[in-house]
Amino acid sequence: MYLLIAVSNYTTILTKNQEFCYKFQKICTATFKIVSKDDFVYNSRINSTIKKLSIVINESSDLIVSPAYESFRVINNNELYPFYLYMLLQRESFARRVLFNSFGSST
């Protein structure tokens, strides 16, 4: 069994409460994504008023996320350390560049 998470602009990883998890166990989770340690999870629904992107790094054991989230990982940790990439992605200057280059609807 995996822990279900959500991604927020303000914190790293939000875990769902017990009542939600109990109801969730009854739903088919085949479409959900398994996120391993050091994988990134990104909420692609960009809000133009934010100063930080909704991206987190999983620093714990395997979790599951909604298929609405994008997930990716660093292939070679010897060339790029995952937490270093996470720190770069959290910078306001990176968020400004992403928002400048984005256009259209994200939903």
Side-chain angles (χ1 to χ4, degrees):
M1 180 173 193
Y2 297 103
L3 182 63
L4 176 66
I5 64 162
V7 179
S8 167
N9 290 339
Y10 305 107
T11 62
T12 53
I13 292 177
L14 303 174
T15 56
K16 297 294 185 178
N17 64 29
Q18 285 295 103
E19 179 184 344
F20 179 83
C21 288
Y22 176 74
K23 291 176 185 176
F24 179 75
Q25 289 174 357
K26 298 178 181 179
I27 300 172
C28 176
T29 59
T31 60
F32 282 68
K33 298 177 184 178
I34 299 174
V35 180
S36 302
K37 185 173 179 359
D38 290 336
D39 286 359
F40 291 87
V41 180
Y42 172 62
N43 183 353
S44 61
R45 296 182 179 193
I46 296 175
N47 181 348
S48 62
T49 62
I50 63 169
K51 294 185 178 184
K52 187 168 123 177
L53 297 178
S54 302
I55 189 166
V56 297
I57 187 170
N58 179 15
E59 298 183 87
S60 63
S61 60
D62 290 353
L63 306 167
I64 60 172
V65 295
S66 166
Y69 294 139
E70 299 296 328
S71 62
F72 61 94
R73 68 176 54 112
V74 173
I75 295 173
N76 186 349
N77 289 354
N78 294 327
E79 292 183 17
L80 179 62
Y81 187 60
F83 196 75
Y84 179 75
L85 176 60
Y86 174 69
M87 296 304 294
L88 289 175
L89 297 175
Q90 290 299 305
R91 295 175 53 92
E92 281 187 32
S93 60
F94 182 77
R96 279 194 308 271
R97 186 164 190 89
V98 168
L99 293 172
F100 177 78
N101 290 317
S102 65
F103 54 89
S105 176
S106 65
T107 54

